[in-house]
């Protein structure tokens, strides 16, 4: 398909892995595994349409509430994802980035995600931003703490107003642009603590498709929707 406008940054709340598995009488882990192959498809179509940045909500700061067996399965799948895809990702020119709080992530997970980010840092085609132990509220608070620490260090008065531009440098997603299009699968219409700062003027696309079933047609449907929106950013169109 041809599109007149392409979003600079798409954020995806990949929801419905558990329901997909349940529908087929499979274990929830099988849903997450199928979800990983949907990421492969999404990245291929994103490359084709030259979508510069994709943020993937893979594990939230609230997902620790799940049974430890499921949490471990998700992280093991992530490690497997990087191990089995890194060469391909490299060949395709995809740059890997991580957004999220590092403190609760295991050494192994950090090693994998940092290794993938380092190995792909020169890639220019698209950025795949994996949001792991990510929460929008935590990101804003941690950004605030870090900006204040930096100001203290350089003796800038701590009560000097902070501009949004300056603050954005302290978000995990830096230097990615604001989100133009937010996609959430599996019929839920909520944000679940994803990229709260970055979605200020995003268009929202909700679909009943479960994440493991998301493919080319689903992304094209979202791009058709995005193209049809009249964006005003608070001004007059
Ligand atoms: C999304 O699928 C993946 C993660 C949260 C890691 P879910 O696991 O939330 O699937 P449902 O919502 O139970 O169907
Ligand atoms: C959001 O999905 C988190 C991810 C996709 C990683 P959840 O399934 O955790 O969200 P809620 O609990 O339904 O809001
Ligand atoms: Mg869910």
């Amino acid at each position: 398909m041809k599109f007149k406008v392409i979003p600079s940054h798409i954020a995806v709340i990949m929801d419905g892995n558990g329901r997909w598995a349940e529908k087929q009488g499979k274990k929830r882990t099988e849903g997450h595994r199928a979800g990983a192959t949907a990421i492969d498809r999404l990245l291929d179509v994103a490359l084709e349409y030259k979508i510069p940045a994709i943020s993937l909500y893979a594990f939230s700061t609230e997902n620790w509430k799940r049974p430890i067996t499921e949490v471990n399965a998700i992280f093991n799948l992530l490690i497997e994802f990087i191990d089995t895809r890194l060469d391909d990702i490299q060949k395709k020119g995809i740059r890997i980035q991580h957004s999220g709080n590092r403190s609760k992530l295991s050494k192994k997970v950090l090693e994998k995600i940092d290794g993938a980010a380092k190995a792909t840092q020169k890639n220019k085609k698209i950025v795949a931003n994996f949001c792991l132990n990510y929460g929008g509220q935590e990101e804003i608070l941690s950004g605030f703490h870090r900006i204040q620490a930096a100001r203290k260090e350089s003796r800038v008065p701590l009560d000097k107003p902070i501009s949004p531009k300056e603050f954005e440098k302290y978000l995990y997603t830096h230097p990615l642009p604001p989100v133009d299009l937010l996609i959430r699968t599996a019929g839920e219409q909520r944000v679940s603590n994803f990229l709260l700062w970055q979605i200020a003027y995003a268009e929202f696309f909700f679909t009943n498709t479960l994440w493991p079933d998301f493919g080319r047609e689903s992304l094209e449907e979202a791009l058709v929707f995005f193209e049809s929106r009249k964006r005003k950013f608070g001004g007059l169109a």
Side-chain angles (χ1 to χ4, degrees):
M1 287 178 81
K2 279 248 178 301
F3 296 98
K4 284 196 287 295
V5 273
I6 285 289
S8 297
H9 184 179
I10 298 184
V12 192
I13 303 178
M14 309 181 288
D15 200 13
N17 292 352
R19 277 163 278 179
W20 182 91
E22 204 175 304
K23 250 176 58 183
Q24 335 224 344
K26 292 183 176 159
K27 293 203 178 103
R28 291 182 58 85
T29 317
E30 287 312 305
H32 295 310
R33 184 175 288 282
T37 65
I39 297 179
D40 294 332
R41 285 198 296 274
L42 178 75
L43 293 178
D44 282 344
V45 187
L47 276 165
E48 197 181 305
Y49 285 117
K50 300 190 169 63
I51 296 162
I54 308 262
S55 286
L56 299 157
Y57 207 4
F59 194 87
S60 76
T61 46
E62 288 71 49
N63 286 147
W64 297 104
K65 293 178 191 163
R66 297 188 180 199
I68 188 68
T69 45
E70 176 163 348
V71 169
N72 288 340
I74 292 171
F75 284 116
N76 286 336
L77 274 169
L78 177 92
I79 291 168
E80 187 185 315
F81 183 89
I82 294 175
D83 283 343
T84 53
R85 270 72 156 197
L86 192 58
D87 282 352
D88 198 41
I89 282 175
Q90 192 69 280
K91 276 192 214 116
K92 289 175 176 166
I94 300 171
R95 184 158 76 79
I96 302 281
Q97 181 174 334
H98 168 232
S99 289
N101 185 295
R102 298 172 63 86
S103 68
K104 271 171 108 174
L105 295 175
S106 72
K107 219 175 132 212
K108 180 115 191 249
V109 167
L110 285 172
E111 244 169 54
K112 285 291 165 190
I113 193 84
D114 290 347
K118 192 153 189 273
T120 61
Q121 63 186 346
K122 295 215 169 74
N123 291 349
K124 294 251 164 4
K125 289 241 168 82
I126 65 171
V127 177
N129 174 37
F130 283 83
C131 300
L132 288 175
N133 194 23
Y134 176 89
Q137 295 179 340
E138 195 278 331
E139 175 183 47
I140 292 167
L141 290 174
S142 124
F144 181 71
H145 286 300
R146 281 181 288 116
I147 197 170
Q148 291 300 67
R151 288 169 148 217
K152 203 170 163 197
E153 176 92 12
S154 46
R155 297 178 191 284
V156 174
L158 295 188
D159 58 354
K160 187 178 173 239
I162 302 170
S163 73
K165 270 257 146 329
E166 194 188 350
F167 183 63
E168 280 166 2
K169 294 189 191 129
Y170 292 85
L171 294 174
Y172 295 133
T173 54
H174 181 75
L176 301 183
V179 172
D180 286 325
L181 173 65
L182 174 89
I183 298 174
R184 182 165 187 150
T185 59
E188 308 304 336
Q189 305 200 353
R190 55 178 173 256
V191 169
S192 301
N193 206 6
F194 197 37
L195 302 175
L196 299 181
W197 177 283
Q198 298 86 340
I199 59 171
Y201 273 97
E203 303 294 333
F204 285 22
F205 179 80
F206 298 109
T207 171
N208 289 330
T209 302
L210 304 173
W211 176 249
D213 293 327
F214 195 93
R216 165 182 294 277
E217 288 77 35
S218 321
L219 184 65
E220 286 176 346
E221 203 189 317
L223 291 174
V224 166
F225 160 83
F226 180 75
E227 188 180 52
S228 75
R229 306 315 302 161
K230 192 150 138 201
R231 304 184 79 198
K232 302 199 287 186
F233 299 96
L236 302 176

